[in-house]
Amino acid sequence: MAERLKITVVRREACSDLIRRYVPHGEDPRLHTPCGRFSDGQTFVVSPCEMPQGFCSWAWADIQRHAVWVALHGVQPGHRQPGTAVVCCTDGLYPVFFRLELIDDES
Amino acid sequence: MAWRPREGQDDRLCAAGKGEDMSGVRIRITVVKKLECPELAADYAVGSVWGACPHHQVGDVYEVSGEASYPKPDGLCAWAWADLHRAVTTLRYGADQRPKLPPGTMIVCCTDGRRPVVFAVERLEEGGSG
């Protein structure tokens, strides 16, 4: 069975206090919704080290090295389950959180 | 050529583009928020990584300037520095995210999804505290 990297969107956040503090017109309620590039629970399954089609290129730039560590069988300290990692993109106002897992391809 | 100085763009940065000294550009990094993800930590974190990051406190301030390679400021988490470095360089080179954010400001978090720390990265005005 081939190994695959599974990426799951596990959380999306809008940091309202920071949006009000830093973003021009930060009181506008339309600015207080999480990132629209992803949806909660969305999954991507790809060959290890491959960028998923349709993935946000900014987010991929942020998490790519973490994805490589998982894809190449690294074990990140502090994670309960070897072969997983929980990471987020670096958008401090609208961060999106991803679970990375190395899985067996069942297809 | 599409590049031209934006209205109000820092003169020092335009000068730097011509190969002039840009060592006077100062970037301030401030810890503005610590996120906690208990629902994720319960599944994925062990030991001390429950709860918010212990390395930084809201209000911690760091500044970088001078040397061309911008070494990591003392006390700043090395992992966070790796995540922040692009934003620091973006501002240093005079780019910014206007109009989404005020000129010279970026809000960036580290990539530790269990307990990310959010930083304000700001280019300081010449001679001022920002």
Side-chain angles (χ1 to χ4, degrees):
Chain A
M1 275 186 296
E3 290 173 344
R4 309 280 276 174
L5 179 71
K6 182 179 180 184
I7 304 172
T8 308
V9 178
V10 291
R11 175 174 165 156
R12 295 177 302 147
E13 182 93 17
C15 296
S16 285
D17 52 340
L18 299 180
I19 294 165
R20 277 192 289 271
R21 182 170 161 191
Y22 287 103
V23 177
H25 314 294
E27 296 298 332
D28 187 335
R30 290 172 297 181
L31 292 170
H32 293 262
T33 54
C35 175
R37 290 293 302 268
F38 293 102
S39 53
D40 293 329
Q42 189 175 4
T43 60
F44 302 86
V45 178
V46 291
S47 296
C49 303
E50 188 178 287
M51 174 174 157
Q53 273 200 337
F55 208 82
C56 169
S57 61
W58 294 82
W60 185 249
D62 294 330
I63 72 166
Q64 191 257 0
R65 63 189 183 283
H66 297 277
V68 167
W69 296 335
V70 170
L72 301 183
H73 287 239
V75 177
Q76 293 200 38
H79 283 79
R80 184 180 298 258
Q81 303 171 35
T84 67
V86 178
V87 299
C88 59
C89 73
T90 62
D91 187 330
L93 299 175
Y94 305 98
V96 177
F97 296 69
F98 306 91
R99 178 173 66 236
L100 309 173
E101 302 168 271
L102 195 59
I103 62 169
D104 288 319
D105 185 7
E106 288 163 9
S107 63
Chain B
M1 193 155 114
W3 185 88
R4 61 186 68 81
R6 281 171 156 168
E7 188 180 341
Q9 190 161 21
D10 194 315
D11 288 342
R12 291 170 301 159
L13 297 161
C14 300
K18 296 177 219 154
E20 295 174 24
D21 178 33
M22 62 191 303
S23 62
V25 177
R26 293 155 58 216
I27 305 293
R28 184 173 63 197
I29 299 165
T30 310
V31 177
V32 292
K33 192 179 181 71
K34 300 204 293 183
L35 290 165
E36 292 185 61
C37 307
E39 79 282 12
L40 303 180
D43 282 342
Y44 298 104
V46 293
S48 63
V49 291
W50 288 76
C53 174
H55 193 94
H56 287 298
Q57 302 305 323
V58 172
D60 288 351
V61 179
Y62 306 90
E63 197 177 301
V64 286
S65 63
E67 291 180 58
S69 64
Y70 271 13
K72 180 182 86 63
D74 285 345
L76 181 65
C77 169
W79 294 91
W81 180 240
D83 294 325
L84 288 173
H85 192 270
R86 268 178 307 169
V88 169
T89 309
T90 298
L91 293 177
R92 182 193 194 189
Y93 288 169
D96 50 45
Q97 286 187 300
R98 73 180 83 176
K100 181 185 164 193
L101 284 167
T105 302
M106 293 179 79
I107 310 297
V108 183
C109 62
C110 73
T111 56
D112 187 338
R114 299 159 302 172
R115 48 178 186 177
V117 175
V118 188
F119 302 85
V121 186
E122 297 165 287
R123 185 173 56 235
L124 300 181
E125 296 303 319
E126 193 166 15
S129 61

